[in-house]
Amino acid sequence: DVKVTQSSRYLVKRTGEKVFLECVQDMDHENMFWYRQDPGLGLRLIYFSYDVKMKEKGDIPEGYSVSREKKERFSLILESASTNQTSMYLCASSPLGQPLSEQYFGPGTRLTVT
Amino acid sequence: KNQVEQSPQSLIILEGKNCTLQCNYTVSPFSNLRWYKQDTGRGPVSLTIMTFSENTKSNGRYTATLDADTKQSSLHITASQLSDSASYICVVSANTGGFKTIFGAGTRLFVKA
């Protein structure tokens, strides 16, 4: 079974802090994604990566950056957390062949910025 | 504008009953449509995936239909169980030569004993 893990299930940070969210997948997938999920809205793509050291902006990249130094690990960074970044963050991975390939999701990290 | 709209927003049914969730999309050019189930506090898990040429696909008690002409899909759940309580998300991918996937906001289903 594909396994996508995220470093924290719940996280509380203060405004202005730098926040790191980590995601690891164990299926040697080329593609990895970071989404945020807010009530009443669909998942919105923040960034994705299709290879090591490669990254592409999604629909809402402002206030975020990413890092992919190894194939299995994709990190989301909030340079200076703000209250409007309080959300559920979901990481996903998929093998080469998007958009036909299924994405496998991690359990999510619920981030609260106070 | 590429959009995916789901209805209803939420639904309460009694255990053992059937229900149908709707998804309308304007994503173009269409590549595929997927239904995901997301349990509370968990990541989404794929139920079905359909391409342009497929108009129905089943996964146990879940049956998805696709009408590519009217750009509508439905997810039918038969003989609902308490474990079906979850959000159901419709996801449509566009074949733009690059990556473009649009997520619906989901339908929140509550199954009562």
Side-chain angles (χ1 to χ4, degrees), chain A residues 72-106:
Chain A
E72 68 271 19
R73 187 180 297 268
F74 193 34
S75 303
L76 180 69
I77 303 152
L78 286 67
E79 296 291 341
S80 178
S82 62
T83 54
N84 63 14
Q85 292 178 311
T86 292
S87 185
M88 169 72 92
Y89 289 88
L90 288 161
C91 174
S93 73
S94 74
L96 203 62
Q98 272 286 354
L100 294 178
S101 299
E102 175 185 344
Q103 293 184 41
Y104 297 86
F105 286 87

PDB file of all heavy atoms in Angstrom, chain A residues 72-106:
ATOM      1  N   GLU A  72      11.574  11.327  -1.929  1.00  0.00           N
ATOM      2  CA  GLU A  72      10.495  10.890  -1.053  1.00  0.00           C
ATOM      3  C   GLU A  72       9.969  11.988  -0.132  1.00  0.00           C
ATOM      4  O   GLU A  72       8.971  11.788   0.551  1.00  0.00           O
ATOM      5  CB  GLU A  72      10.962   9.705  -0.201  1.00  0.00           C
ATOM      6  CG  GLU A  72      12.043  10.048   0.829  1.00  0.00           C
ATOM      7  CD  GLU A  72      13.452   9.910   0.288  1.00  0.00           C
ATOM      8  OE1 GLU A  72      13.608   9.895  -0.954  1.00  0.00           O
ATOM      9  OE2 GLU A  72      14.387   9.836   1.106  1.00  0.00           O
ATOM     10  N   ARG A  73      10.596  13.140  -0.116  1.00  0.00           N
ATOM     11  CA  ARG A  73      10.260  14.162   0.876  1.00  0.00           C
ATOM     12  C   ARG A  73       9.943  15.502   0.222  1.00  0.00           C
ATOM     13  O   ARG A  73      10.703  15.987  -0.625  1.00  0.00           O
ATOM     14  CB  ARG A  73      11.418  14.320   1.844  1.00  0.00           C
ATOM     15  CG  ARG A  73      11.146  15.226   3.041  1.00  0.00           C
ATOM     16  CD  ARG A  73      12.393  15.282   3.928  1.00  0.00           C
ATOM     17  NE  ARG A  73      12.707  13.973   4.465  1.00  0.00           N
ATOM     18  CZ  ARG A  73      12.284  13.500   5.629  1.00  0.00           C
ATOM     19  NH1 ARG A  73      11.503  14.249   6.399  1.00  0.00           N
ATOM     20  NH2 ARG A  73      12.642  12.300   6.045  1.00  0.00           N
ATOM     21  N   PHE A  74       8.832  16.072   0.650  1.00  0.00           N
ATOM     22  CA  PHE A  74       8.393  17.360   0.094  1.00  0.00           C
ATOM     23  C   PHE A  74       7.955  18.239   1.267  1.00  0.00           C
ATOM     24  O   PHE A  74       7.052  17.865   2.017  1.00  0.00           O
ATOM     25  CB  PHE A  74       7.227  17.134  -0.873  1.00  0.00           C
ATOM     26  CG  PHE A  74       6.882  18.318  -1.744  1.00  0.00           C
ATOM     27  CD1 PHE A  74       7.836  19.198  -2.205  1.00  0.00           C
ATOM     28  CD2 PHE A  74       5.561  18.507  -2.159  1.00  0.00           C
ATOM     29  CE1 PHE A  74       7.505  20.255  -3.042  1.00  0.00           C
ATOM     30  CE2 PHE A  74       5.218  19.561  -3.001  1.00  0.00           C
ATOM     31  CZ  PHE A  74       6.194  20.435  -3.435  1.00  0.00           C
ATOM     32  N   SER A  75       8.630  19.355   1.428  1.00  0.00           N
ATOM     33  CA  SER A  75       8.376  20.211   2.585  1.00  0.00           C
ATOM     34  C   SER A  75       7.656  21.487   2.169  1.00  0.00           C
ATOM     35  O   SER A  75       7.979  22.079   1.136  1.00  0.00           O
ATOM     36  CB  SER A  75       9.699  20.580   3.264  1.00  0.00           C
ATOM     37  OG  SER A  75      10.401  19.423   3.648  1.00  0.00           O
ATOM     38  N   LEU A  76       6.721  21.887   2.989  1.00  0.00           N
ATOM     39  CA  LEU A  76       6.014  23.162   2.793  1.00  0.00           C
ATOM     40  C   LEU A  76       6.472  24.118   3.892  1.00  0.00           C
ATOM     41  O   LEU A  76       6.499  23.743   5.069  1.00  0.00           O
ATOM     42  CB  LEU A  76       4.497  22.964   2.885  1.00  0.00           C
ATOM     43  CG  LEU A  76       3.645  24.216   2.706  1.00  0.00           C
ATOM     44  CD1 LEU A  76       3.717  24.717   1.263  1.00  0.00           C
ATOM     45  CD2 LEU A  76       2.190  23.931   3.099  1.00  0.00           C
ATOM     46  N   ILE A  77       6.836  25.318   3.488  1.00  0.00           N
ATOM     47  CA  ILE A  77       7.374  26.301   4.434  1.00  0.00           C
ATOM     48  C   ILE A  77       6.511  27.552   4.427  1.00  0.00           C
ATOM     49  O   ILE A  77       6.215  28.107   3.359  1.00  0.00           O
ATOM     50  CB  ILE A  77       8.827  26.663   4.047  1.00  0.00           C
ATOM     51  CG1 ILE A  77       9.674  25.395   3.996  1.00  0.00           C
ATOM     52  CG2 ILE A  77       9.412  27.658   5.059  1.00  0.00           C
ATOM     53  CD1 ILE A  77      10.838  25.459   3.064  1.00  0.00           C
ATOM     54  N   LEU A  78       6.096  27.955   5.610  1.00  0.00           N
ATOM     55  CA  LEU A  78       5.429  29.235   5.773  1.00  0.00           C
ATOM     56  C   LEU A  78       6.474  30.184   6.350  1.00  0.00           C
ATOM     57  O   LEU A  78       6.888  30.043   7.504  1.00  0.00           O
ATOM     58  CB  LEU A  78       4.233  29.108   6.728  1.00  0.00           C
ATOM     59  CG  LEU A  78       2.974  28.412   6.216  1.00  0.00           C
ATOM     60  CD1 LEU A  78       3.212  26.929   5.965  1.00  0.00           C
ATOM     61  CD2 LEU A  78       1.826  28.595   7.201  1.00  0.00           C
ATOM     62  N   GLU A  79       6.936  31.102   5.546  1.00  0.00           N
ATOM     63  CA  GLU A  79       8.051  31.953   5.944  1.00  0.00           C
ATOM     64  C   GLU A  79       7.723  32.805   7.170  1.00  0.00           C
ATOM     65  O   GLU A  79       8.543  32.989   8.057  1.00  0.00           O
ATOM     66  CB  GLU A  79       8.451  32.853   4.771  1.00  0.00           C
ATOM     67  CG  GLU A  79       8.979  32.104   3.554  1.00  0.00           C
ATOM     68  CD  GLU A  79      10.333  31.448   3.806  1.00  0.00           C
ATOM     69  OE1 GLU A  79      11.033  31.845   4.762  1.00  0.00           O
ATOM     70  OE2 GLU A  79      10.703  30.531   3.044  1.00  0.00           O
ATOM     71  N   SER A  80       6.521  33.326   7.208  1.00  0.00           N
ATOM     72  CA  SER A  80       6.078  34.152   8.334  1.00  0.00           C
ATOM     73  C   SER A  80       4.585  33.913   8.492  1.00  0.00           C
ATOM     74  O   SER A  80       3.775  34.531   7.804  1.00  0.00           O
ATOM     75  CB  SER A  80       6.370  35.627   8.057  1.00  0.00           C
ATOM     76  OG  SER A  80       5.888  36.437   9.131  1.00  0.00           O
ATOM     77  N   ALA A  81       4.245  32.985   9.371  1.00  0.00           N
ATOM     78  CA  ALA A  81       2.857  32.532   9.472  1.00  0.00           C
ATOM     79  C   ALA A  81       1.902  33.682   9.802  1.00  0.00           C
ATOM     80  O   ALA A  81       2.214  34.573  10.598  1.00  0.00           O
ATOM     81  CB  ALA A  81       2.739  31.443  10.530  1.00  0.00           C
ATOM     82  N   SER A  82       0.738  33.636   9.163  1.00  0.00           N
ATOM     83  CA  SER A  82      -0.305  34.617   9.444  1.00  0.00           C
ATOM     84  C   SER A  82      -1.599  33.882   9.773  1.00  0.00           C
ATOM     85  O   SER A  82      -1.773  32.703   9.431  1.00  0.00           O
ATOM     86  CB  SER A  82      -0.513  35.540   8.244  1.00  0.00           C
ATOM     87  OG  SER A  82      -0.934  34.792   7.125  1.00  0.00           O
ATOM     88  N   THR A  83      -2.515  34.583  10.422  1.00  0.00           N
ATOM     89  CA  THR A  83      -3.745  33.926  10.877  1.00  0.00           C
ATOM     90  C   THR A  83      -4.561  33.395   9.702  1.00  0.00           C
ATOM     91  O   THR A  83      -5.274  32.390   9.850  1.00  0.00           O
ATOM     92  CB  THR A  83      -4.602  34.897  11.712  1.00  0.00           C
ATOM     93  OG1 THR A  83      -4.829  36.089  10.962  1.00  0.00           O
ATOM     94  CG2 THR A  83      -3.908  35.254  13.023  1.00  0.00           C
ATOM     95  N   ASN A  84      -4.465  34.021   8.541  1.00  0.00           N
ATOM     96  CA  ASN A  84      -5.238  33.509   7.405  1.00  0.00           C
ATOM     97  C   ASN A  84      -4.627  32.249   6.787  1.00  0.00           C
ATOM     98  O   ASN A  84      -5.149  31.696   5.812  1.00  0.00           O
ATOM     99  CB  ASN A  84      -5.445  34.585   6.328  1.00  0.00           C
ATOM    100  CG  ASN A  84      -4.147  35.062   5.710  1.00  0.00           C
ATOM    101  OD1 ASN A  84      -3.095  34.443   5.866  1.00  0.00           O
ATOM    102  ND2 ASN A  84      -4.214  36.177   4.998  1.00  0.00           N
ATOM    103  N   GLN A  85      -3.539  31.772   7.360  1.00  0.00           N
ATOM    104  CA  GLN A  85      -2.972  30.494   6.948  1.00  0.00           C
ATOM    105  C   GLN A  85      -3.402  29.359   7.875  1.00  0.00           C
ATOM    106  O   GLN A  85      -2.968  28.218   7.715  1.00  0.00           O
ATOM    107  CB  GLN A  85      -1.451  30.587   6.872  1.00  0.00           C
ATOM    108  CG  GLN A  85      -0.979  31.484   5.733  1.00  0.00           C
ATOM    109  CD  GLN A  85       0.521  31.620   5.663  1.00  0.00           C
ATOM    110  OE1 GLN A  85       1.181  31.902   6.681  1.00  0.00           O
ATOM    111  NE2 GLN A  85       1.086  31.416   4.482  1.00  0.00           N
ATOM    112  N   THR A  86      -4.282  29.674   8.822  1.00  0.00           N
ATOM    113  CA  THR A  86      -4.908  28.626   9.619  1.00  0.00           C
ATOM    114  C   THR A  86      -5.762  27.771   8.691  1.00  0.00           C
ATOM    115  O   THR A  86      -6.659  28.275   8.013  1.00  0.00           O
ATOM    116  CB  THR A  86      -5.781  29.240  10.727  1.00  0.00           C
ATOM    117  OG1 THR A  86      -4.948  29.886  11.685  1.00  0.00           O
ATOM    118  CG2 THR A  86      -6.612  28.169  11.423  1.00  0.00           C
ATOM    119  N   SER A  87      -5.454  26.475   8.648  1.00  0.00           N
ATOM    120  CA  SER A  87      -6.121  25.621   7.668  1.00  0.00           C
ATOM    121  C   SER A  87      -5.699  24.171   7.890  1.00  0.00           C
ATOM    122  O   SER A  87      -4.827  23.864   8.703  1.00  0.00           O
ATOM    123  CB  SER A  87      -5.746  26.058   6.254  1.00  0.00           C
ATOM    124  OG  SER A  87      -6.462  25.332   5.276  1.00  0.00           O
ATOM    125  N   MET A  88      -6.335  23.283   7.113  1.00  0.00           N
ATOM    126  CA  MET A  88      -5.884  21.897   7.031  1.00  0.00           C
ATOM    127  C   MET A  88      -4.976  21.796   5.816  1.00  0.00           C
ATOM    128  O   MET A  88      -5.360  22.208   4.714  1.00  0.00           O
ATOM    129  CB  MET A  88      -7.086  20.961   6.875  1.00  0.00           C
ATOM    130  CG  MET A  88      -6.700  19.536   6.510  1.00  0.00           C
ATOM    131  SD  MET A  88      -5.940  18.650   7.853  1.00  0.00           S
ATOM    132  CE  MET A  88      -7.400  17.903   8.569  1.00  0.00           C
ATOM    133  N   TYR A  89      -3.783  21.250   6.017  1.00  0.00           N
ATOM    134  CA  TYR A  89      -2.825  21.099   4.926  1.00  0.00           C
ATOM    135  C   TYR A  89      -2.693  19.616   4.583  1.00  0.00           C
ATOM    136  O   TYR A  89      -2.427  18.776   5.451  1.00  0.00           O
ATOM    137  CB  TYR A  89      -1.475  21.693   5.308  1.00  0.00           C
ATOM    138  CG  TYR A  89      -1.536  23.207   5.369  1.00  0.00           C
ATOM    139  CD1 TYR A  89      -1.908  23.867   6.541  1.00  0.00           C
ATOM    140  CD2 TYR A  89      -1.257  23.979   4.238  1.00  0.00           C
ATOM    141  CE1 TYR A  89      -2.006  25.252   6.582  1.00  0.00           C
ATOM    142  CE2 TYR A  89      -1.343  25.363   4.279  1.00  0.00           C
ATOM    143  CZ  TYR A  89      -1.726  25.988   5.449  1.00  0.00           C
ATOM    144  OH  TYR A  89      -1.822  27.360   5.501  1.00  0.00           O
ATOM    145  N   LEU A  90      -2.885  19.330   3.305  1.00  0.00           N
ATOM    146  CA  LEU A  90      -2.826  17.950   2.841  1.00  0.00           C
ATOM    147  C   LEU A  90      -1.701  17.796   1.835  1.00  0.00           C
ATOM    148  O   LEU A  90      -1.567  18.592   0.903  1.00  0.00           O
ATOM    149  CB  LEU A  90      -4.149  17.546   2.189  1.00  0.00           C
ATOM    150  CG  LEU A  90      -5.319  17.344   3.152  1.00  0.00           C
ATOM    151  CD1 LEU A  90      -6.636  17.422   2.413  1.00  0.00           C
ATOM    152  CD2 LEU A  90      -5.199  16.003   3.838  1.00  0.00           C
ATOM    153  N   CYS A  91      -0.922  16.757   2.029  1.00  0.00           N
ATOM    154  CA  CYS A  91       0.133  16.395   1.095  1.00  0.00           C
ATOM    155  C   CYS A  91      -0.351  15.199   0.275  1.00  0.00           C
ATOM    156  O   CYS A  91      -1.113  14.358   0.784  1.00  0.00           O
ATOM    157  CB  CYS A  91       1.395  16.037   1.864  1.00  0.00           C
ATOM    158  SG  CYS A  91       2.735  15.398   0.853  1.00  0.00           S
ATOM    159  N   ALA A  92       0.053  15.124  -0.977  1.00  0.00           N
ATOM    160  CA  ALA A  92      -0.317  13.996  -1.822  1.00  0.00           C
ATOM    161  C   ALA A  92       0.855  13.634  -2.722  1.00  0.00           C
ATOM    162  O   ALA A  92       1.746  14.452  -2.972  1.00  0.00           O
ATOM    163  CB  ALA A  92      -1.552  14.316  -2.664  1.00  0.00           C
ATOM    164  N   SER A  93       0.838  12.397  -3.205  1.00  0.00           N
ATOM    165  CA  SER A  93       1.848  11.984  -4.166  1.00  0.00           C
ATOM    166  C   SER A  93       1.186  11.158  -5.262  1.00  0.00           C
ATOM    167  O   SER A  93       0.090  10.620  -5.065  1.00  0.00           O
ATOM    168  CB  SER A  93       2.970  11.189  -3.502  1.00  0.00           C
ATOM    169  OG  SER A  93       2.525   9.884  -3.156  1.00  0.00           O
ATOM    170  N   SER A  94       1.839  11.092  -6.405  1.00  0.00           N
ATOM    171  CA  SER A  94       1.334  10.265  -7.498  1.00  0.00           C
ATOM    172  C   SER A  94       2.502   9.875  -8.387  1.00  0.00           C
ATOM    173  O   SER A  94       3.502  10.585  -8.476  1.00  0.00           O
ATOM    174  CB  SER A  94       0.259  11.003  -8.301  1.00  0.00           C
ATOM    175  OG  SER A  94       0.835  11.996  -9.110  1.00  0.00           O
ATOM    176  N   PRO A  95       2.350   8.737  -9.079  1.00  0.00           N
ATOM    177  CA  PRO A  95       3.397   8.356 -10.018  1.00  0.00           C
ATOM    178  C   PRO A  95       3.324   9.237 -11.255  1.00  0.00           C
ATOM    179  O   PRO A  95       2.364   9.980 -11.462  1.00  0.00           O
ATOM    180  CB  PRO A  95       3.050   6.900 -10.350  1.00  0.00           C
ATOM    181  CG  PRO A  95       1.588   6.783 -10.076  1.00  0.00           C
ATOM    182  CD  PRO A  95       1.284   7.741  -8.975  1.00  0.00           C
ATOM    183  N   LEU A  96       4.330   9.157 -12.093  1.00  0.00           N
ATOM    184  CA  LEU A  96       4.350   9.908 -13.329  1.00  0.00           C
ATOM    185  C   LEU A  96       3.125   9.556 -14.156  1.00  0.00           C
ATOM    186  O   LEU A  96       2.689   8.411 -14.166  1.00  0.00           O
ATOM    187  CB  LEU A  96       5.620   9.551 -14.100  1.00  0.00           C
ATOM    188  CG  LEU A  96       6.144  10.553 -15.114  1.00  0.00           C
ATOM    189  CD1 LEU A  96       6.506  11.856 -14.428  1.00  0.00           C
ATOM    190  CD2 LEU A  96       7.361   9.978 -15.814  1.00  0.00           C
ATOM    191  N   GLY A  97       2.577  10.552 -14.867  1.00  0.00           N
ATOM    192  CA  GLY A  97       1.415  10.250 -15.687  1.00  0.00           C
ATOM    193  C   GLY A  97       0.203  11.062 -15.329  1.00  0.00           C
ATOM    194  O   GLY A  97      -0.884  10.816 -15.814  1.00  0.00           O
ATOM    195  N   GLN A  98       0.364  12.063 -14.457  1.00  0.00           N
ATOM    196  CA  GLN A  98      -0.757  12.964 -14.208  1.00  0.00           C
ATOM    197  C   GLN A  98      -1.207  13.581 -15.509  1.00  0.00           C
ATOM    198  O   GLN A  98      -0.389  13.832 -16.395  1.00  0.00           O
ATOM    199  CB  GLN A  98      -0.342  14.065 -13.248  1.00  0.00           C
ATOM    200  CG  GLN A  98      -0.523  13.705 -11.800  1.00  0.00           C
ATOM    201  CD  GLN A  98      -1.973  13.719 -11.390  1.00  0.00           C
ATOM    202  OE1 GLN A  98      -2.851  14.099 -12.153  1.00  0.00           O
ATOM    203  NE2 GLN A  98      -2.243  13.284 -10.178  1.00  0.00           N
ATOM    204  N   PRO A  99      -2.480  13.878 -15.763  1.00  0.00           N
ATOM    205  CA  PRO A  99      -3.522  13.841 -14.744  1.00  0.00           C
ATOM    206  C   PRO A  99      -4.220  12.495 -14.615  1.00  0.00           C
ATOM    207  O   PRO A  99      -5.179  12.392 -13.893  1.00  0.00           O
ATOM    208  CB  PRO A  99      -4.489  14.910 -15.237  1.00  0.00           C
ATOM    209  CG  PRO A  99      -4.396  14.827 -16.706  1.00  0.00           C
ATOM    210  CD  PRO A  99      -2.952  14.485 -17.009  1.00  0.00           C
ATOM    211  N   LEU A 100      -3.786  11.459 -15.315  1.00  0.00           N
ATOM    212  CA  LEU A 100      -4.521  10.207 -15.220  1.00  0.00           C
ATOM    213  C   LEU A 100      -4.220   9.438 -13.943  1.00  0.00           C
ATOM    214  O   LEU A 100      -4.982   8.589 -13.528  1.00  0.00           O
ATOM    215  CB  LEU A 100      -4.214   9.330 -16.434  1.00  0.00           C
ATOM    216  CG  LEU A 100      -4.711   9.871 -17.766  1.00  0.00           C
ATOM    217  CD1 LEU A 100      -4.304   8.941 -18.890  1.00  0.00           C
ATOM    218  CD2 LEU A 100      -6.213  10.053 -17.737  1.00  0.00           C
ATOM    219  N   SER A 101      -3.095   9.702 -13.334  1.00  0.00           N
ATOM    220  CA  SER A 101      -2.714   8.930 -12.158  1.00  0.00           C
ATOM    221  C   SER A 101      -3.442   9.401 -10.915  1.00  0.00           C
ATOM    222  O   SER A 101      -3.641  10.585 -10.714  1.00  0.00           O
ATOM    223  CB  SER A 101      -1.213   9.045 -11.933  1.00  0.00           C
ATOM    224  OG  SER A 101      -0.516   8.526 -13.025  1.00  0.00           O
ATOM    225  N   GLU A 102      -3.791   8.450 -10.085  1.00  0.00           N
ATOM    226  CA  GLU A 102      -4.456   8.765  -8.829  1.00  0.00           C
ATOM    227  C   GLU A 102      -3.464   9.392  -7.867  1.00  0.00           C
ATOM    228  O   GLU A 102      -2.297   9.044  -7.819  1.00  0.00           O
ATOM    229  CB  GLU A 102      -5.003   7.491  -8.215  1.00  0.00           C
ATOM    230  CG  GLU A 102      -5.612   7.670  -6.844  1.00  0.00           C
ATOM    231  CD  GLU A 102      -6.029   6.346  -6.247  1.00  0.00           C
ATOM    232  OE1 GLU A 102      -6.120   5.365  -7.000  1.00  0.00           O
ATOM    233  OE2 GLU A 102      -6.239   6.306  -5.029  1.00  0.00           O
ATOM    234  N   GLN A 103      -3.957  10.360  -7.090  1.00  0.00           N
ATOM    235  CA  GLN A 103      -3.148  10.959  -6.043  1.00  0.00           C
ATOM    236  C   GLN A 103      -3.450  10.264  -4.734  1.00  0.00           C
ATOM    237  O   GLN A 103      -4.600   9.989  -4.413  1.00  0.00           O
ATOM    238  CB  GLN A 103      -3.449  12.449  -5.928  1.00  0.00           C
ATOM    239  CG  GLN A 103      -3.002  13.255  -7.138  1.00  0.00           C
ATOM    240  CD  GLN A 103      -3.228  14.732  -6.943  1.00  0.00           C
ATOM    241  OE1 GLN A 103      -3.002  15.277  -5.871  1.00  0.00           O
ATOM    242  NE2 GLN A 103      -3.680  15.392  -7.999  1.00  0.00           N
ATOM    243  N   TYR A 104      -2.417  10.019  -3.975  1.00  0.00           N
ATOM    244  CA  TYR A 104      -2.541   9.390  -2.668  1.00  0.00           C
ATOM    245  C   TYR A 104      -2.262  10.455  -1.607  1.00  0.00           C
ATOM    246  O   TYR A 104      -1.222  11.102  -1.640  1.00  0.00           O
ATOM    247  CB  TYR A 104      -1.565   8.230  -2.539  1.00  0.00           C
ATOM    248  CG  TYR A 104      -1.829   7.127  -3.528  1.00  0.00           C
ATOM    249  CD1 TYR A 104      -1.287   7.171  -4.808  1.00  0.00           C
ATOM    250  CD2 TYR A 104      -2.635   6.048  -3.189  1.00  0.00           C
ATOM    251  CE1 TYR A 104      -1.541   6.163  -5.726  1.00  0.00           C
ATOM    252  CE2 TYR A 104      -2.888   5.033  -4.100  1.00  0.00           C
ATOM    253  CZ  TYR A 104      -2.343   5.099  -5.363  1.00  0.00           C
ATOM    254  OH  TYR A 104      -2.606   4.110  -6.264  1.00  0.00           O
ATOM    255  N   PHE A 105      -3.181  10.593  -0.684  1.00  0.00           N
ATOM    256  CA  PHE A 105      -3.108  11.678   0.284  1.00  0.00           C
ATOM    257  C   PHE A 105      -2.590  11.226   1.641  1.00  0.00           C
ATOM    258  O   PHE A 105      -2.833  10.107   2.076  1.00  0.00           O
ATOM    259  CB  PHE A 105      -4.489  12.309   0.478  1.00  0.00           C
ATOM    260  CG  PHE A 105      -4.924  13.168  -0.683  1.00  0.00           C
ATOM    261  CD1 PHE A 105      -5.572  12.609  -1.761  1.00  0.00           C
ATOM    262  CD2 PHE A 105      -4.673  14.534  -0.678  1.00  0.00           C
ATOM    263  CE1 PHE A 105      -5.969  13.396  -2.837  1.00  0.00           C
ATOM    264  CE2 PHE A 105      -5.063  15.331  -1.739  1.00  0.00           C
ATOM    265  CZ  PHE A 105      -5.715  14.756  -2.828  1.00  0.00           C
ATOM    266  N   GLY A 106      -1.892  12.141   2.307  1.00  0.00           N
ATOM    267  CA  GLY A 106      -1.539  11.939   3.694  1.00  0.00           C
ATOM    268  C   GLY A 106      -2.716  12.271   4.585  1.00  0.00           C
ATOM    269  O   GLY A 106      -3.768  12.700   4.106  1.00  0.00           O
TER     270      GLY A 106
END
